[in-house]
């Protein structure tokens, strides 16, 4: 997904040739739709108004899981479906990106709670086995209080009487979504980010395509398609309104906030799952950090930049501190992010009770809408949406979905390269730990990153203030991963914006200058990118000092989006 590849995609989209499928929305579901459709042999376009995964799909809890709490709601079908997808991702589709992670559930009541929770986790493991894809994840185990405290010394001794430990999986959601998009492009889909839909083309009642604007250049184009799939998540209602249709369901946004603290602040060998009055709270191992979340509150303010308030951060710290022997403070918080979940609207007062199921609708001929669901089941959602779209396609039916058997780029050969990580380290001059980290991000595409370093050894240096990432990764983000702006690199291609104390500000200048060559930036654009990123970080920090959503939203909107150079 180089700059030239994006230009070629826009040229193909605006050529006047009718596509079979145009997908609107570059989150995980839209990317999944594009991959599903193109691997059926269809001609496909995928457009995203901002960056790939810039909305919900980069701001999740980063878990690939069945959802233990949905068992308690007796939603067995959703749990089994998600566990099947978890197995596929861990074993076949993305083993380089999706990794097992263990969680400890502290028990606080004697007798009944161990039986209740143990039965639930046993059913969870059993459903994973019956899904046919459970290999690679150990089964749960029961722990005494003494054993649990050995596993998680950070817990208060009086915060539990025992525990149950089980396994799920985690993923860098933004990287995974981008890799799905890149895989779709590799199979022939025309993909373009920073390309916004401004309206739909009509022939009578039927939707026959869309009008687009290339946000980078201002160029307008028309794209003709037999079917358009609206996969815009929390923007579903807004996109449907462009087609002059109310739609058959509505989507509400629920805000989820997470904080990151350094790994040494919580002495533990396991993640935690804790009950709250409204839902559950996760403490998730994340590289050199712990990821703590999430909140679950309605949000009807700016959807592009949901803001975390001081109240949100306090809520997370207060609840996790109920079980920690050494409490966390605001000074321990290194990173914060807020995301919006798209929930199918219902009559429930709390968003935590709205549906995580997904629905597919065909509100007008030529337009398919997919909404709801959860990150883990993106592939099933995409399959269902494309099934509905092809049902009314003229000509031969293209056949069923094959994405259950289509590994993402970087998956094939990953295990073999992982076994060779010591020889790769020796050949490249990098430490074996660095090679392991690169393999977990690029899989079998690691050779393309190492080739950049071979041509320019300076690119082997880490980014200042974000030394988990090499300078080569910044260049690669532009030349292979569709990054168009500094924010794309520091927020989604890397996670410097939430993993470093200064939120990536120290790395900004070097990263911008590395991006300038392949993107053709002049000095003014470099300075604009650096300045914009600094303002964005300060606006987010300001929002996180505000007492509520309204004031936090106003503070965050103090930093407008970057405007490309003319």
């Amino acid at each position: 997904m180089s700059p030239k590849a994006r230009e070629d995609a826009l040229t193909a989209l605006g050529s006047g040739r009718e596509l079979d499928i145009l997908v609107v929305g570059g989150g995980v579901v839209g990317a999944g739709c594009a991959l599903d459709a193109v691997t059926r042999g269809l001609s496909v376009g995928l457009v995203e108004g901002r960056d790939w995964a810039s909305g919900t799909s980069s701001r999740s809890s980063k878990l690939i899981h069945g959802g233990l709490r949905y068992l308690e709601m007796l939603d067995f079908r959703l749990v089994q479906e998600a566990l099947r997808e978890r197995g596929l991702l861990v074993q076949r589709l993305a083993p380089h990106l999706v990794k097992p992670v263990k969680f400890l559930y502290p028990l606080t009541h004697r007798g009944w709670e161990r039986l209740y929770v143990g039965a639930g986790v046993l059913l969870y493991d059993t459903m994973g086995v019956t899904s046919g894809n459970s290999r690679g994840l150990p089964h749960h185990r029961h722990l005494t209080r003494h054993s649990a405290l050995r596993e998680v010394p950070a817990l208060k001794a009086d915060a539990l009487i025992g525990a149950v430990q089980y396994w799920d999986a985690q993923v860098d959601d933004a990287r995974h979504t981008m890799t799905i998009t890149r895989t779709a492009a590799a199979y022939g889909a025309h993909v373009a980010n920073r390309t916004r839909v401004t309206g739909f083309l009509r022939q009578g009642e039927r939707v026959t395509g869309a009008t687009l604007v290339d946000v980078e250049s201002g160029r307008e184009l028309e794209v003709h398609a037999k079917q358009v799939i609206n996969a815009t998540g929390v923007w579903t209602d807004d996109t449907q309104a462009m087609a002059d249709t109310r739609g058959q369901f509505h989507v509400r946004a629920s805000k989820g906030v997470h904080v990151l603290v350094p790994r040494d602040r919580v002495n533990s060998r396991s993640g935690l799952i804790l009950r709250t009055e409204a839902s559950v709270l996760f403490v998730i191992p994340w590289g050199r950090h712990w990821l703590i979340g999430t909140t679950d509150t309605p949000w009807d303010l700016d959807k592009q930049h949901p803001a975390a308030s001081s109240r949100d951060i306090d809520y997370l710290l207060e609840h996790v501190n109920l079980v920690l022997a050494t409490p966390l403070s605001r000074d321990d918080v290194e990173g914060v992010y807020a995301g919006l979940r798209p929930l199918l609207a219902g009559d429930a007062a709390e968003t935590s009770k709205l549906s995580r199921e997904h629905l597919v609708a065909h509100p007008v001929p030529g337009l398919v809408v997919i909404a709801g669901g959860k990150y883990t089941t993106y592939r099933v959602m995409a399959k269902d949406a494309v099934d509905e779209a092809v049902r009314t396609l003229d000509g031969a039916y293209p056949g069923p979905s094959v994405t259950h058997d289509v590994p993402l780029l970087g998956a094939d050969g990953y295990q073999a390269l992982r076994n060779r990580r010591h020889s790769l380290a020796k050949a490249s001059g990098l430490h074996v730990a660095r090679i392991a980290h690169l393999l977990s991000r690029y899989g079998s595409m690691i050779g393309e990153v190492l080739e950049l370093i071979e041509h320019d050894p300076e690119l082997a240096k880490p980014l200042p203030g974000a030394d988990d990432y090499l300078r080569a990764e910044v260049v690669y983000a532009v030349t292979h991963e569709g990054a168009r702006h500094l924010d794309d690199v520091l927020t989604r291609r890397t996670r410097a914006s939430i993993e470093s104390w200064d939120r990536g500000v120290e790395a900004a200048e070097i990263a911008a200058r590395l991006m300038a060559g392949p993107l053709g930036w002049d000095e003014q654009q470099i300075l604009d990118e650096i300045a914009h990123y600094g303002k964005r970080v300060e606006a987010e920090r300001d929002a996180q000092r505000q007492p509520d959503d309204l004031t936090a939203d106003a503070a965050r909107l103090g930093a407008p989006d970057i405007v490309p150079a003319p």
Side-chain angles (χ1 to χ4, degrees):
M1 295 196 297
S2 66
K4 182 180 184 305
R6 179 180 179 276
E7 285 301 311
D8 291 345
L10 288 170
T11 299
L13 290 170
S15 68
R17 292 192 295 272
E18 186 181 47
L19 298 170
D20 291 320
I21 304 282
L22 173 65
V23 182
V24 180
V28 71
V29 176
C33 287
L35 179 59
D36 188 286
V38 77
T39 53
R40 298 189 197 207
L42 299 171
S43 58
V44 177
L46 170 64
V47 293
E48 160 58 42
R50 297 165 67 211
D51 185 28
W52 307 119
S54 58
T56 301
S57 297
S58 60
R59 307 180 193 197
S60 73
S61 294
K62 312 192 189 314
L63 292 177
I64 298 294
H65 64 140
L68 263 180
R69 72 187 181 102
Y70 300 117
L71 273 186
E72 197 167 30
M73 299 176 186
L74 305 182
D75 199 341
F76 300 116
R77 190 193 65 78
L78 177 62
V79 173
Q80 183 154 32
E81 182 177 79
L83 290 173
R84 182 177 64 246
E85 294 304 304
R86 181 191 70 181
L88 278 171
L89 286 161
V90 168
Q91 296 168 60
R92 187 185 311 164
L93 303 185
H96 55 314
L97 301 176
V98 182
K99 306 293 183 184
V101 60
K102 58 183 176 179
F103 289 98
L104 186 138
Y105 186 107
L107 301 172
T108 57
H109 299 89
R110 296 191 180 277
W112 69 267
E113 190 181 20
R114 186 178 289 279
L115 290 172
Y116 181 74
V117 174
V121 177
L122 175 61
L123 180 59
Y124 194 67
D125 281 349
T126 302
M127 292 174 78
V129 171
T130 58
S131 75
N133 293 296
S134 64
R135 294 188 311 278
L137 293 183
H139 289 284
H140 75 281
R141 61 179 184 144
H142 287 263
L143 301 176
T144 64
R145 178 165 64 178
H146 181 70
S147 297
L149 290 172
R150 269 207 317 258
E151 186 77 4
V152 188
L155 290 173
K156 294 176 182 175
D158 61 357
L160 73 166
I161 54 93
V164 177
Q165 191 171 56
Y166 73 99
W167 291 76
D168 255 321
Q170 67 179 164
V171 69
D172 182 335
D173 47 6
R175 174 150 295 278
H176 175 243
T177 297
M178 179 276 297
T179 305
I180 299 169
T181 305
R182 195 175 163 195
T183 305
Y187 279 101
H190 306 298
V191 306
N193 56 354
R194 307 283 175 181
T195 304
R196 190 173 66 246
V197 171
T198 55
F200 288 109
L201 302 175
R202 306 292 285 263
Q203 287 290 333
E205 184 188 18
R206 186 178 188 84
V207 171
T208 59
T211 55
L212 312 177
V213 60
D214 174 6
V215 178
E216 301 288 273
S217 67
R219 176 174 40 149
E220 298 179 350
L221 58 155
E222 291 187 350
V223 181
H224 300 274
K226 295 174 183 175
Q227 291 284 331
V228 177
I229 296 178
N230 172 10
T232 52
V234 294
W235 289 272
T236 296
D237 289 5
D238 305 279
T239 311
Q240 283 193 153
M242 291 184 193
D244 298 322
T245 174
R246 282 187 56 222
Q248 298 166 5
F249 50 78
H250 294 282
V251 174
R252 279 173 54 186
S254 166
K255 184 177 72 166
V257 173
H258 296 77
V259 299
L260 282 85
V261 301
R263 196 67 176 266
D264 63 5
R265 301 303 196 271
V266 179
N267 184 9
S268 177
R269 297 197 298 267
S270 175
L272 293 170
I273 177 171
L274 309 170
R275 273 191 180 278
T276 69
E277 63 275 9
S279 182
V280 295
L281 187 75
F282 287 102
V283 180
I284 307 165
W286 181 258
R288 292 195 280 180
H289 298 83
W290 293 102
L291 181 63
I292 302 171
T294 181
T295 61
D296 194 348
T297 55
W299 179 266
D300 56 7
L301 301 169
D302 181 67
K303 294 175 184 173
Q304 290 196 6
H305 305 293
S309 69
S310 180
R311 179 186 300 166
D312 295 321
I313 298 168
D314 288 343
Y315 171 90
L316 294 174
L317 295 179
E318 286 168 10
H319 281 77
V320 75
N321 283 340
L322 292 175
V323 300
L324 295 181
T326 303
L328 298 172
S329 72
R330 291 291 286 265
D331 291 339
D332 295 314
V333 174
E334 192 166 358
V336 182
Y337 66 91
L340 300 178
R341 305 177 192 87
L343 302 179
L344 298 177
D347 296 327
E350 292 111 14
T351 58
S352 60
K353 294 179 181 176
L354 295 181
S355 178
R356 295 303 296 270
E357 298 278 359
H358 69 269
L359 289 177
V360 178
H362 219 137
V364 295
L367 178 65
V368 171
V369 181
I370 174 75
K374 57 201 294 283
Y375 193 101
T376 302
T377 57
Y378 80 90
R379 194 193 64 82
V380 178
M381 296 174 65
K383 170 187 173 297
D384 290 350
V386 177
D387 279 347
E388 178 62 26
V390 301
R391 187 176 59 81
T392 57
L393 280 182
D394 297 331
Y397 182 79
S401 172
V402 297
T403 51
H404 61 281
D405 204 28
V406 177
L408 301 186
L409 291 181
D412 280 339
Y414 160 69
Q415 295 293 355
L417 284 170
R418 187 171 180 276
N419 292 340
R420 294 185 54 239
R421 59 190 180 277
H422 291 279
S423 59
L424 286 172
K426 185 176 180 180
S428 65
L430 299 176
H431 193 279
V432 67
R434 181 73 72 181
I435 292 293
H437 188 248
L438 292 173
L439 281 166
S440 72
R441 288 170 51 74
Y442 304 97
S444 57
M445 296 183 292
I446 187 175
E448 296 173 348
V449 180
L450 296 179
E451 187 177 345
L452 291 174
I453 294 171
E454 185 179 351
H455 290 153
D456 182 358
E458 284 290 304
L459 296 180
K461 292 181 178 178
L463 285 175
D467 60 2
D468 279 346
Y469 304 102
L470 301 181
R471 299 181 187 199
E473 297 183 75
V474 175
V475 177
Y476 189 82
V478 175
T479 59
H480 290 74
E481 297 178 343
R484 302 289 303 174
H485 293 285
L486 182 59
D487 185 60
D488 302 344
V489 169
L490 296 180
T491 305
R492 286 171 291 278
R493 302 309 183 277
T494 72
R495 291 312 184 100
S497 66
I498 58 173
E499 293 176 349
S500 53
W501 286 106
D502 70 352
R503 311 282 172 94
V505 170
E506 186 182 352
E509 181 172 359
I510 284 177
R513 294 192 179 281
L514 289 167
M515 297 174 71
L519 284 170
W521 291 346
D522 60 17
E523 183 66 18
Q524 188 57 54
Q525 182 67 19
I526 292 171
L527 296 176
D528 287 347
E529 294 279 340
I530 297 167
H532 167 265
Y533 187 79
K535 289 176 183 175
R536 197 213 83 172
V537 168
E538 187 46 49
E540 288 183 350
R541 287 189 185 276
D542 189 18
Q544 290 154 23
R545 292 188 286 265
Q546 303 305 314
D548 55 37
D549 284 353
L550 278 172
T551 51
D553 179 66
R556 175 61 186 88
L557 292 177
D561 284 342
I562 184 72
V563 177

